[in-house]
Amino acid sequence: MKKFYQKYPLVVILTSIITTIIIGIVVLSALLLPKLKSSKQENYTLYAVKAQADNIFKGNVTAKTSTDYREDMSLGELSQVNVTDGQEVKAGDVLLTYTKSSEDLSSQEFAVKSAENDLANAQADVAESEKKDAKLRTDFNKTKDESEKQSINSQIESNNEAWKAAQRSVTAATLARDQAQASLASQKDKQTATVTAKTDGLVIMGTKSETSPLLSVVSRETLVNGKTSEYDYDKLKVNDVVSVETVDLSKKVTGKISYISPVPDKATSETSSSQYNFKVVLDEPLQNGYTVQIHRPNETLYIPKTSVKNGKVYMKRGGKFSKVAVETKESGSRLQVISGLTSGDKIIEEAAAYVDTP
């Protein structure tokens, strides 16, 4: 080798240089080609698939149950309010006490006295008939005259009929008296009438007026009354899970839609579209009277129409793109995703511009 180098030094030097260049080119190609390929891929515009913003509705927290109690003159005169403002009561607790006036008893007492008087008269008639029968029979036994006996016997028979009638009057008068006495006893029991709570809750005192109840019993459990416009009506379904957030963002609880009104509220000058009420049952109580926002998650996904090529999209996975079949339907200028993608996936926005690699 030394002899060859000594004889042809220029050839050896040129060969070494060329070999070094070739090796360098091979090494650089191995290092740079993946980067160039990756750089080419990165030049495509990516679209991040994400769910739409929540549907938000306004609402107010109200008691789950609220029962008003007004003055009822048919029960008599209100004699006592048995509860105080803010008092907690159970169903069946006495709230109000009424007392009927004594005039309500006078007619019943008169009926009892009248029935007792009729009974006494009937009993007197019976006694008189029995006394007369005894006298007639004595006279019958004393007389010897046959014609007189026949006359007395006729009087005995006639008196016997009167006695039977008097006995029937006693029976009827006794029944009338018993009924009058029972009615009087029942009326006396009804002299004091009470009104009891229909539900558990807190007592809220009102005012004694025609427009305001004497008191209300309001449950501790609360629900939310919400409103939706006709444009968002179809976005809500009974049993949809929602989140309810106070306007000061201090508390957020979950709940479920329990009712959606099929008919709109009466139109007002403040609204240009129909408004519908709906109710949300809360998993945790919120303060009665709070104004809240009702969030219904919007899980619908949309992608650009240009991102689909032959029913597939190119999804980025690591440093590569993979073909993924998707099911979509047109929704205006976009495509709504039925299946194949989830929130967070990244796809090429212009699928037609992507050149498939073998």
Side-chain angles (χ1 to χ4, degrees):
M1 185 67 180
K2 289 182 179 180
K3 291 180 179 180
F4 185 81
Y5 176 75
Q6 290 174 353
K7 190 173 181 178
Y8 304 104
L10 184 59
V11 173
V12 173
I13 293 172
L14 289 175
T15 300
S16 298
I17 293 173
I18 292 171
T19 302
T20 302
I21 291 173
I22 291 172
I23 293 172
I25 291 173
V26 172
V27 172
L28 287 173
S29 297
L31 294 174
L32 295 177
L33 278 177
K35 292 185 177 180
L36 290 173
K37 185 177 180 181
S38 175
S39 176
K40 181 180 179 182
Q41 290 179 342
E42 291 296 338
N43 287 333
Y44 291 104
T45 302
L46 296 180
Y47 178 84
V49 181
K50 60 182 179 180
Q52 304 301 295
D54 290 352
N55 299 125
I56 300 178
F57 307 89
K58 292 182 179 179
N60 293 94
V61 182
T62 62
K64 191 172 183 179
T65 60
S66 180
T67 307
D68 294 337
Y69 297 86
R70 300 178 183 276
E71 186 171 3
D72 188 350
M73 301 299 291
S74 66
L75 298 178
E77 182 180 356
L78 180 64
S79 56
Q80 185 178 1
V81 177
N82 301 81
V83 291
T84 58
D85 193 37
Q87 180 177 337
E88 188 161 356
V89 296
K90 298 290 184 182
D93 287 352
V94 176
L95 304 176
L96 305 169
T97 300
Y98 291 86
T99 302
K100 289 184 178 293
S101 65
S102 58
E103 295 178 358
D104 296 326
L105 289 178
S106 60
S107 59
Q108 293 297 329
E109 291 172 340
F110 177 79
V112 170
K113 290 180 180 180
S114 178
E116 289 175 342
N117 186 60
D118 291 342
L119 176 58
N121 290 336
Q123 290 171 335
D125 290 341
V126 170
E128 181 66 26
S129 296
E130 291 174 346
K131 182 179 178 181
K132 185 176 180 180
D133 181 76
K135 182 179 183 304
L136 288 172
R137 290 183 185 278
T138 300
D139 292 343
F140 180 85
N141 292 329
K142 286 182 179 181
T143 185
K144 302 296 183 183
D145 190 316
E146 289 297 327
S147 61
E148 188 174 355
K149 280 187 176 184
Q150 290 180 359
S151 175
I152 293 172
N153 190 57
S154 296
Q155 293 180 53
I156 290 173
E157 290 178 356
S158 178
N159 184 68
N160 187 52
E161 292 299 324
W163 177 84
K164 291 179 180 179
Q167 284 285 17
R168 289 193 293 269
S169 295
V170 168
T171 302
T174 300
L175 178 62
R177 181 204 61 185
D178 292 344
Q179 289 177 338
Q181 288 177 339
S183 180
L184 175 61
S186 175
Q187 192 66 34
K188 285 182 176 180
D189 290 340
K190 294 179 181 178
Q191 277 302 101
T192 300
T194 57
V195 175
T196 58
K198 297 177 181 178
T199 58
D200 297 352
L202 296 176
V203 174
I204 307 298
M205 300 303 298
T207 57
K208 189 177 179 181
S209 69
E210 294 181 357
T211 58
S212 174
L214 286 173
L215 58 88
S216 302
V217 175
V218 180
S219 67
R220 283 190 176 276
E221 291 181 289
T222 56
L223 55 77
V224 172
N225 284 325
K227 281 188 181 293
T228 178
S229 72
E230 59 188 278
Y231 305 111
D232 293 326
Y233 185 84
D234 291 335
K235 295 179 181 178
L236 299 176
K237 298 290 184 294
V238 172
N239 292 327
D240 277 352
V241 175
V242 297
S243 59
V244 179
E245 189 173 28
T246 56
V247 291
D248 62 358
L249 308 181
S250 64
K251 191 170 185 180
K252 192 173 186 177
V253 302
T254 56
K256 186 180 289 186
I257 296 176
S258 62
Y259 169 79
I260 304 172
S261 175
V263 295
D265 276 352
K266 292 182 179 179
T268 65
S269 58
E270 299 177 358
T271 58
S272 57
S273 62
S274 295
Q275 300 290 311
Y276 294 81
N277 292 317
F278 65 95
K279 295 182 183 297
V280 177
V281 176
L282 299 172
D283 295 331
E284 298 178 40
L286 287 175
Q287 178 59 46
N288 194 338
Y290 273 16
T291 300
V292 294
Q293 289 184 336
I294 304 164
H295 294 254
R296 182 195 177 279
N298 188 350
E299 298 175 353
T300 305
L301 304 178
Y302 294 96
I303 58 175
K305 290 183 178 181
T306 57
S307 65
V308 179
K309 181 180 179 181
N310 298 325
K312 296 180 179 180
V313 297
Y314 295 96
M315 183 189 301
K316 186 176 182 182
R317 289 174 174 169
K320 298 181 180 180
F321 289 104
S322 302
K323 287 183 181 180
V324 176
V326 293
E327 183 182 359
T328 61
K329 69 176 183 179
E330 290 198 15
S331 178
S333 61
R334 302 177 295 175
L335 294 176
Q336 181 181 337
V337 177
I338 306 301
S339 64
L341 293 172
T342 60
S343 181
D345 291 340
K346 293 182 179 180
I347 60 176
I348 292 178
E349 189 168 349
E350 296 289 341
Y354 181 78
V355 179
D356 292 341
T357 55

